[in-house]
Amino acid sequence: NTNTHTTLFKILNTYIKMAETRTPNKLYATHPKNYGKGSRQCRMTGRKGGMGLIRKYGINMKRQAFRENAIAMGWEKYS
């Protein structure tokens, strides 16, 4: 009974060590992003693009940052 517990403990321990030392695919971390949504970022916050990035007229701001700074930039809300 104790022999099976120690064997099981050794297996679990080696599995945990393997999971801790596993490194992710390095291609994603080192590959430059020069195109697409991930290449553009907000000029105010620096957050990456994707949903909510306003690019029209060269604004390049996230939607939330644009709402905070629109009046200072000279934009008016009509409706």
Side-chain angles (χ1 to χ4, degrees), residues 18 20 22 24 30 38-39 42 55-56 60 66 68 72 74:
M18 285 175 23
E20 289 174 354
R22 189 180 328 134
T30 59
S39 66
C42 175
R55 296 176 55 203
K56 195 169 185 177
N60 292 326
F66 178 74
E68 293 172 1

Side-chain angles (χ1 to χ4, degrees), residues 9-75:
F9 181 74
K10 286 180 182 179
I11 292 171
L12 287 174
N13 198 14
T14 55
Y15 179 74
I16 291 171
K17 284 182 181 177
M18 285 175 23
E20 289 174 354
T21 58
R22 189 180 328 134
T23 57
N25 191 350
K26 299 222 176 193
L27 178 65
Y28 298 113
T30 59
H31 190 70
K33 192 72 170 163
N34 299 325
Y35 58 90
K37 295 179 182 178
S39 66
R40 297 179 278 273
Q41 61 186 7
C42 175
R43 68 171 65 217
M44 299 296 287
T45 61
R47 290 174 59 193
K48 292 287 183 186
M51 296 292 288
L53 184 69
I54 300 172
R55 296 176 55 203
K56 195 169 185 177
Y57 309 119
I59 293 174
N60 292 326
M61 293 173 69
K62 293 295 265 188
R63 182 183 61 81
Q64 295 87 348
F66 178 74
R67 283 178 60 102
E68 293 172 1
N69 300 308
I71 295 173
M73 293 169 55
W75 292 87

